[in-house]
Structures are given as C-alpha cells and as structure tokens.
Amino acid sequence: MTRTLTVLLALALPTAALAAPPPGHPTPQDAGRILGVQAQAPGEPMPYKGTVVETVDANAYTYILLKDGAQQRWLAAPRTTIKPGMTVHYGQGAEMQNFHSKALNRTFERITFVGAIRAE
C-alpha cells in the first residue's frame, strides 16, 4: 500500500503547532524562496528514491537519512511522519553543502532540501 505524503513547504503544519526557528534560521517558506525549491505538483514524477535509515524532526523540517544502494544522503523535507525501513520517493531539490541546522546544532556535509516526498 502506498501512502502519498505531498508536503508543501508553505503548508507543512500550522505555525502555532511548531516552535519558531532559531534567530537567523529560515522558515520553510523562506527556505523555499531562498533555495528555489518549488512545491511538487500532484502527479509530478519523483524519480529518486531511497530507504529511510534515520529521521530527525526539528521545527518545521524532517531530516531524512536515505540509503540508495551503497550511498547514503540526507534530505530535508517539510515535517512529516516516516519511519526507518520505509521507501521514500522525491524529486529535484536544492542541494546545500556544509549546512548548519541551528535547531539540531549539527552541520550536514551535504543535504538536499525538497518540497515534497512520497513514502511507502
């Protein structure tokens, strides 16, 4: 059974349900504008996929460590509920190098911000 999680940066969750980002940290809306991440239109192809190894929620984002064959990569998507072992499909995103998450106090060597994911 496939569960589609179409998550838009601008509509991830009501802002009252989330803590505000730390000072200087972009909101999901700002990040989308700054990084040029476009909302994924329904039915648009999501040609990339991987198996979820780890997830971390921070403010309005879910950081997802995916394994694709022998490689692992980090994605940042609007906050959602997924679990290790699930398969995640995603489209083009904006890759950042040495991205520091103030909420996690962690620097990701490479991370791709995406506007939507589909999990199964």
Side-chain angles (χ1 to χ4, degrees):
M1 177 180 200
T2 300
R3 181 179 71 192
T4 301
L5 300 171
T6 302
V7 186
L8 304 176
L9 284 170
L11 303 172
L13 288 175
T15 53
L18 301 171
H25 194 282
T27 65
Q29 296 84 358
D30 292 339
R33 218 173 18 258
I34 293 165
L35 299 173
V37 176
Q38 300 296 316
Q40 186 85 23
E44 225 176 278
M46 294 188 174
Y48 310 108
K49 70 177 182 175
T51 302
V52 177
V53 174
E54 175 185 348
T55 66
V56 181
D57 291 328
N59 291 328
Y61 295 99
T62 297
Y63 294 84
I64 308 162
L65 179 60
L66 293 179
K67 183 171 182 162
D68 178 13
Q71 296 185 17
Q72 291 189 344
R73 76 179 63 244
W74 281 99
L75 293 183
R79 194 164 186 174
T80 188
T81 302
I82 56 174
K83 297 179 181 178
M86 295 177 85
T87 299
V88 169
H89 298 261
Y90 60 100
Q92 285 286 71
E95 184 176 285
M96 294 187 71
Q97 294 183 6
N98 298 314
F99 172 77
H100 181 74
S101 166
K102 292 180 182 179
L104 297 176
N105 192 26
R106 177 176 179 175
T107 299
F108 295 88
E109 186 177 322
R110 294 174 77 154
I111 188 165
T112 301
F113 283 79
V114 295
I117 60 171
R118 187 180 78 235
E120 52 186 49

